[in-house]
Amino acid sequence: MARAFRRKGQRYVAAFDEMERGVVAGLLEQTRDIVAPTDAGEPPVANPDAFDDIVAGVSVGAEDHVASAEELADRDPALERLLPTAHRGDEKVAAEFRRLTEHDLRDRKAANLTVAIEALRGAEGDRLELTRKQADAVVVALTDARLVLGERLGLKTDEDALALDRLVANLDPEDPVVYAASFYDFLTWMQESLTTALLGRGLFH
Protein backbone atom coordinates (compact mmCIF):
# COMPACT_ATOMS: atom_id res chain seq x y z
CA MET A 1 0.00 0.00 0.00
CA ALA A 2 1.33 3.41 -0.98
CA ARG A 3 2.54 5.78 1.74
CA ALA A 4 2.96 9.51 1.20
CA PHE A 5 6.30 11.23 0.74
CA ARG A 6 8.13 12.61 3.74
CA ARG A 7 11.42 14.41 3.95
CA LYS A 8 14.15 12.51 5.75
CA GLY A 9 17.33 14.55 5.96
CA GLN A 10 18.18 15.54 2.40
CA ARG A 11 16.00 12.82 0.84
CA TYR A 12 12.32 12.42 0.03
CA VAL A 13 11.02 9.00 0.97
CA ALA A 14 7.75 7.19 0.23
CA ALA A 15 6.48 3.63 -0.06
CA PHE A 16 5.16 2.28 -3.37
CA ASP A 17 5.06 -1.39 -4.28
CA GLU A 18 6.45 -2.65 -7.58
CA MET A 19 3.08 -2.61 -9.31
CA GLU A 20 2.34 0.98 -8.26
CA ARG A 21 5.76 2.18 -9.41
CA GLY A 22 5.32 0.26 -12.65
CA VAL A 23 1.98 1.93 -13.36
CA VAL A 24 3.40 5.41 -12.79
CA ALA A 25 6.60 4.72 -14.73
CA GLY A 26 4.57 3.31 -17.63
CA LEU A 27 2.44 6.43 -17.81
CA LEU A 28 5.53 8.64 -17.66
CA GLU A 29 7.15 6.62 -20.45
CA GLN A 30 4.16 7.08 -22.70
CA THR A 31 4.04 10.78 -21.87
CA ARG A 32 7.67 10.92 -22.96
CA ASP A 33 6.70 9.15 -26.21
CA ILE A 34 4.29 12.00 -26.91
CA VAL A 35 6.59 14.87 -26.07
CA ALA A 36 10.01 13.66 -27.23
CA PRO A 37 11.30 15.24 -30.47
CA THR A 38 11.54 12.87 -33.45
CA ASP A 39 13.41 13.03 -36.74
CA ALA A 40 11.48 14.47 -39.65
CA GLY A 41 9.47 11.74 -41.30
CA GLU A 42 10.31 9.15 -38.66
CA PRO A 43 7.26 7.00 -37.87
CA PRO A 44 6.14 6.65 -34.26
CA VAL A 45 7.43 3.56 -32.46
CA ALA A 46 4.69 1.09 -31.59
CA ASN A 47 4.19 0.76 -27.85
CA PRO A 48 2.71 -2.56 -26.70
CA ASP A 49 2.11 -1.31 -23.16
CA ALA A 50 -1.38 -1.91 -21.77
CA PHE A 51 -1.84 1.82 -21.24
CA ASP A 52 -1.41 2.57 -24.95
CA ASP A 53 -5.16 2.97 -25.40
CA ILE A 54 -5.08 5.79 -22.87
CA VAL A 55 -1.85 7.60 -23.74
CA ALA A 56 -1.10 7.56 -27.47
CA GLY A 57 2.14 8.57 -29.20
CA VAL A 58 2.78 11.31 -31.75
CA SER A 59 5.56 12.09 -34.20
CA VAL A 60 5.98 15.82 -34.97
CA GLY A 61 8.32 18.66 -34.02
CA ALA A 62 11.74 17.66 -35.36
CA GLU A 63 14.66 20.05 -34.94
CA ASP A 64 14.97 21.08 -38.59
CA HIS A 65 11.37 20.51 -39.56
CA VAL A 66 8.63 23.14 -39.50
CA ALA A 67 5.27 21.44 -39.06
CA SER A 68 2.73 22.21 -41.74
CA ALA A 69 -0.80 23.36 -40.98
CA GLU A 70 -2.03 19.84 -41.79
CA GLU A 71 0.43 18.25 -39.37
CA LEU A 72 -0.49 20.67 -36.59
CA ALA A 73 -4.16 19.91 -37.15
CA ASP A 74 -3.48 16.17 -36.94
CA ARG A 75 -1.17 16.16 -33.95
CA ASP A 76 -2.18 14.72 -30.61
CA PRO A 77 -4.34 17.19 -28.62
CA ALA A 78 -2.41 16.14 -25.50
CA LEU A 79 0.69 17.74 -27.01
CA GLU A 80 -1.13 21.07 -27.05
CA ARG A 81 -1.77 20.68 -23.31
CA LEU A 82 1.90 19.98 -22.73
CA LEU A 83 3.10 22.78 -25.02
CA PRO A 84 0.45 25.54 -24.92
CA THR A 85 0.74 28.42 -27.36
CA ALA A 86 2.58 31.46 -26.03
CA HIS A 87 0.63 34.03 -28.08
CA ARG A 88 -3.05 33.16 -28.33
CA GLY A 89 -3.95 36.51 -29.87
CA ASP A 90 -1.63 36.30 -32.88
CA GLU A 91 -1.41 33.02 -34.79
CA LYS A 92 1.60 34.09 -36.86
CA VAL A 93 3.59 35.12 -33.79
CA ALA A 94 2.54 31.91 -32.02
CA ALA A 95 3.64 29.78 -34.98
CA GLU A 96 7.03 31.51 -35.20
CA PHE A 97 7.60 31.21 -31.45
CA ARG A 98 6.71 27.53 -31.59
CA ARG A 99 9.09 26.98 -34.52
CA LEU A 100 11.96 28.55 -32.61
CA THR A 101 11.39 27.01 -29.20
CA GLU A 102 9.36 23.81 -29.42
CA HIS A 103 12.14 21.34 -30.15
CA ASP A 104 14.27 22.47 -27.21
CA LEU A 105 11.27 22.51 -24.87
CA ARG A 106 10.25 19.01 -25.90
CA ASP A 107 13.82 17.81 -25.46
CA ARG A 108 13.97 19.26 -21.92
CA LYS A 109 10.64 17.73 -20.99
CA ALA A 110 11.69 14.34 -22.33
CA ALA A 111 14.97 14.51 -20.40
CA ASN A 112 13.12 15.41 -17.20
CA LEU A 113 10.70 12.52 -17.70
CA THR A 114 13.68 10.20 -18.15
CA VAL A 115 15.12 11.28 -14.77
CA ALA A 116 11.78 10.56 -13.10
CA ILE A 117 11.34 7.20 -14.85
CA GLU A 118 14.83 6.05 -13.88
CA ALA A 119 14.18 7.03 -10.26
CA LEU A 120 11.00 4.94 -10.21
CA ARG A 121 12.50 1.98 -12.06
CA GLY A 122 15.62 2.03 -9.86
CA ALA A 123 13.82 1.76 -6.53
CA GLU A 124 14.39 -1.36 -4.45
CA GLY A 125 11.68 -3.10 -2.46
CA ASP A 126 8.78 -0.82 -1.56
CA ARG A 127 10.99 2.14 -0.65
CA LEU A 128 11.20 5.04 -3.06
CA GLU A 129 13.92 7.46 -2.03
CA LEU A 130 14.60 10.59 -4.08
CA THR A 131 17.30 13.23 -4.08
CA ARG A 132 16.14 16.84 -4.40
CA LYS A 133 16.97 16.81 -8.12
CA GLN A 134 15.00 13.61 -8.65
CA ALA A 135 12.09 14.91 -6.56
CA ASP A 136 11.89 18.09 -8.64
CA ALA A 137 11.91 16.00 -11.81
CA VAL A 138 9.18 13.69 -10.53
CA VAL A 139 6.89 16.60 -9.61
CA VAL A 140 7.18 18.11 -13.10
CA ALA A 141 6.86 14.70 -14.78
CA LEU A 142 3.68 13.95 -12.84
CA THR A 143 2.27 17.30 -13.98
CA ASP A 144 2.92 16.36 -17.61
CA ALA A 145 1.38 12.90 -17.22
CA ARG A 146 -1.69 14.39 -15.52
CA LEU A 147 -2.11 16.85 -18.39
CA VAL A 148 -2.09 13.98 -20.88
CA LEU A 149 -4.56 11.90 -18.89
CA GLY A 150 -6.68 14.97 -18.28
CA GLU A 151 -6.86 15.57 -22.03
CA ARG A 152 -7.81 11.93 -22.63
CA LEU A 153 -10.56 12.23 -20.02
CA GLY A 154 -11.80 15.61 -21.25
CA LEU A 155 -10.89 17.42 -18.02
CA LYS A 156 -10.66 21.14 -18.67
CA THR A 157 -12.92 22.63 -15.97
CA ASP A 158 -14.22 21.78 -12.50
CA GLU A 159 -17.53 20.92 -14.12
CA ASP A 160 -15.76 18.35 -16.31
CA ALA A 161 -14.30 16.71 -13.20
CA LEU A 162 -17.72 16.51 -11.57
CA ALA A 163 -19.21 15.06 -14.75
CA LEU A 164 -16.44 12.43 -14.86
CA ASP A 165 -17.14 11.47 -11.23
CA ARG A 166 -20.81 10.94 -12.07
CA LEU A 167 -19.92 8.92 -15.16
CA VAL A 168 -17.44 6.69 -13.32
CA ALA A 169 -20.01 5.99 -10.58
CA ASN A 170 -22.27 4.39 -13.19
CA LEU A 171 -19.68 2.48 -15.23
CA ASP A 172 -18.55 -1.11 -14.90
CA PRO A 173 -15.44 -1.25 -12.67
CA GLU A 174 -13.55 -2.87 -15.55
CA ASP A 175 -14.32 -0.02 -17.95
CA PRO A 176 -11.10 1.63 -19.29
CA VAL A 177 -12.44 5.05 -18.29
CA VAL A 178 -12.62 3.90 -14.68
CA TYR A 179 -9.01 2.77 -14.84
CA ALA A 180 -7.92 6.03 -16.45
CA ALA A 181 -9.74 8.07 -13.81
CA SER A 182 -8.15 6.05 -11.02
CA PHE A 183 -4.69 6.56 -12.55
CA TYR A 184 -5.36 10.30 -12.73
CA ASP A 185 -6.40 10.39 -9.07
CA PHE A 186 -3.34 8.38 -8.03
CA LEU A 187 -0.96 10.69 -9.93
CA THR A 188 -2.68 13.70 -8.34
CA TRP A 189 -2.27 12.27 -4.84
CA MET A 190 1.36 11.34 -5.49
CA GLN A 191 2.17 14.80 -6.83
CA GLU A 192 0.46 16.57 -3.92
CA SER A 193 2.30 14.32 -1.47
CA LEU A 194 5.72 15.06 -2.96
CA THR A 195 4.99 18.78 -3.33
CA THR A 196 4.03 18.96 0.35
CA ALA A 197 7.30 17.26 1.31
CA LEU A 198 9.30 19.61 -0.92
CA LEU A 199 7.66 22.62 0.70
CA GLY A 200 8.77 21.34 4.10
CA ARG A 201 5.49 20.25 5.65
CA GLY A 202 5.02 16.93 7.38
CA LEU A 203 8.72 16.31 7.97
CA PHE A 204 10.29 13.53 9.95
CA HIS A 205 13.94 13.03 10.79
Side-chain angles (χ1 to χ4, degrees):
M1 180 178 179
R3 293 204 310 269
F5 279 97
R6 295 290 185 270
R7 181 175 173 181
K8 188 172 183 180
Q10 299 301 311
R11 303 280 175 152
Y12 300 87
V13 181
F16 296 95
D17 64 30
E18 184 176 359
M19 184 188 72
E20 291 164 338
R21 295 196 310 274
V23 166
V24 176
L27 291 170
L28 297 186
E29 286 166 347
Q30 292 188 64
T31 302
R32 184 178 60 185
D33 288 345
I34 291 175
V35 76
T38 57
D39 294 331
E42 178 183 332
V45 177
N47 189 340
D49 193 285
F51 299 118
D52 193 45
D53 289 339
I54 301 168
V55 186
V58 68
S59 178
V60 294
E63 183 173 9
D64 297 319
H65 173 65
V66 180
S68 67
E70 290 79 8
E71 289 171 320
L72 289 174
D74 290 340
R75 72 196 224 153
D76 193 324
L79 194 57
E80 301 305 317
R81 295 288 292 273
L82 291 167
L83 307 168
T85 183
H87 299 275
R88 296 187 182 278
D90 190 322
E91 292 183 6
K92 289 184 178 180
V93 172
E96 179 65 9
F97 184 82
R98 185 183 294 278
R99 184 183 72 82
L100 294 172
T101 64
E102 182 172 298
H103 182 274
D104 287 345
L105 178 57
R106 292 176 70 170
D107 191 56
R108 289 196 300 272
K109 280 185 173 290
N112 184 79
L113 283 156
T114 296
V115 172
I117 291 162
E118 290 176 350
L120 288 163
R121 295 293 190 194
E124 297 182 0
D126 290 347
R127 182 183 177 91
L128 177 59
E129 185 172 327
L130 306 175
T131 64
R132 178 58 191 253
K133 179 179 179 180
Q134 289 172 323
D136 289 340
V138 169
V139 165
V140 175
L142 291 172
T143 297
D144 289 344
R146 289 178 65 246
L147 285 172
V148 173
L149 274 176
E151 176 63 33
R152 295 287 184 264
L153 292 166
L155 299 179
K156 293 181 173 64
T157 67
D158 291 341
E159 288 74 19
D160 293 335
L162 292 173
L164 178 63
D165 288 342
R166 291 193 294 269
L167 175 64
V168 167
N170 292 298
L171 290 175
D172 186 291
E174 299 299 317
D175 191 291
V177 173
V178 176
Y179 281 111
S182 67
F183 298 153
Y184 184 86
D185 289 344
F186 188 80
L187 293 181
T188 300
W189 171 82
M190 185 177 180
Q191 183 186 41
E192 290 176 349
S193 164
L194 183 51
T195 300
T196 297
L198 284 166
L199 292 174
R201 298 192 293 270
L203 309 186
F204 70 92
H205 300 276

